Amino acid sequence: NHNGFSRGVNVLSADSFPPRGRQGSHPSLYNPEGYRPYTVDPGEYANQSRVLDELCHSVVSHAEIEFNEIAEKEDFRVRVEAICRSIITRHETVQNENIAFPPDSTQLKCFGSLSSGFATKAADMDLALLSPLSRLTPDLPNSPIPRLVEKALLDAGFGARLLTRTRVPIIKLCEKPNETLRLALLEERAKW
C-alpha cells in the first residue's frame, strides 16, 4: 500500500488462454491452477476514492482563478476600454467628421479562457476590440485605429506593442511594465 493506493497486478501467461484451434475440449474458460480474478475490499475502494478526491481538490485549488483576480482583470478591461473609446471617438469625430459617432459602439470584449470559465491563476486576458461603426473597422489592414490605440495605451503608462505581421492586428499589452520595457516600447513606437 503506497499513499492509500493498493498494488494489485495480475500477470497472465500464454498458458492462461486456450490455444487457437482447440475448441470444444474446454467448454468453459481455461482457468489453470485455480486462478481467481483480483477483488478489492470495499473499504479499499473508499480509501482510494478519498485519496483521489484530496488530490483533485489540491490540484484544482492551486490552479483555479479566484474571484478577486477576475474582478481585477475586469477593472483593467474597463480602464482599457475607456481609453479605446476615447481615442476612437476622437478619431471618428475629428478625422472622419462623424459628429454622430456613438462612443458606446466601441467595445472591448473578453474571449478565451476567462470568458469560457476555464481560466487558471495568472491567465492572460484575451480581448477583442469592436468598433463596427468606425469608417475603417480596427480589423482592416489599412485601419489607423490599431496604431492610435497603441499610442494612447503607451501614453497612459501601459506597455503596448502592435504586432503587424498577423492576419488581424494584435496589440500585446502589459498593465505594469518596468521602466526599461516602457522606454524600449516608446523607442520602437518613435522609430515607426
Side-chain angles (χ1 to χ4, degrees):
N1 193 350
H2 179 67
N3 291 336
F5 292 98
S6 65
R7 293 183 181 211
V9 178
N10 296 319
V11 179
L12 301 177
S13 68
D15 295 336
S16 300
F17 299 96
R20 292 183 185 259
R22 277 187 36 197
Q23 296 175 353
S25 61
H26 298 285
S28 62
L29 289 176
Y30 186 65
N31 193 1
E33 302 167 10
Y35 166 78
R36 283 181 227 103
Y38 176 74
T39 58
V40 176
D41 174 34
E44 187 63 23
Y45 278 131
N47 187 33
Q48 290 179 7
S49 178
R50 181 188 53 76
V51 170
L52 287 174
D53 283 344
E54 289 172 3
L55 180 63
C56 288
H57 176 74
S58 173
V59 169
V60 169
S61 66
H62 287 95
E64 188 175 37
I65 192 167
E66 294 178 13
F67 180 77
N68 64 340
E69 188 177 352
I70 293 171
E72 288 172 10
K73 288 181 183 293
E74 177 58 15
D75 289 344
F76 174 70
R77 186 202 65 77
V78 169
R79 286 192 345 242
V80 173
E81 183 178 64
I83 292 168
C84 293
R85 278 185 178 162
S86 173
I87 196 68
I88 292 171
T89 301
R90 187 176 322 132
H91 172 72
E92 292 297 328
T93 56
V94 175
Q95 293 295 110
N96 293 336
E97 299 175 354
N98 182 0
I99 305 303
F101 183 80
D104 289 349
S105 67
T106 298
Q107 298 178 330
L108 205 55
K109 292 285 190 178
C110 185
F111 69 97
S113 63
L114 268 172
S115 67
S116 68
F118 288 101
T120 56
K121 287 184 180 179
D124 289 343
M125 186 166 45
D126 300 311
L127 300 169
L129 177 61
L130 307 174
S131 189
L133 301 180
S134 290
R135 184 171 290 168
L136 292 174
T137 59
D139 60 326
L140 293 175
N142 54 348
S143 175
I145 291 175
R147 282 287 178 196
L148 292 170
V149 169
E150 176 192 44
K151 182 175 184 329
L153 293 170
L154 285 167
D155 291 346
F158 295 111
R161 173 79 172 160
L162 176 64
L163 305 180
T164 56
R165 296 180 182 174
T166 55
R167 190 172 50 84
V168 293
I170 295 173
I171 297 177
K172 294 296 238 176
L173 183 60
C174 176
E175 183 178 10
K176 299 173 185 170
N178 63 36
E179 194 59 21
T180 305
L181 174 60
R182 192 171 169 321
L183 291 175
L185 291 168
L186 288 168
E187 185 180 324
E188 282 300 311
R189 170 70 191 197
K191 287 180 187 176
W192 175 80

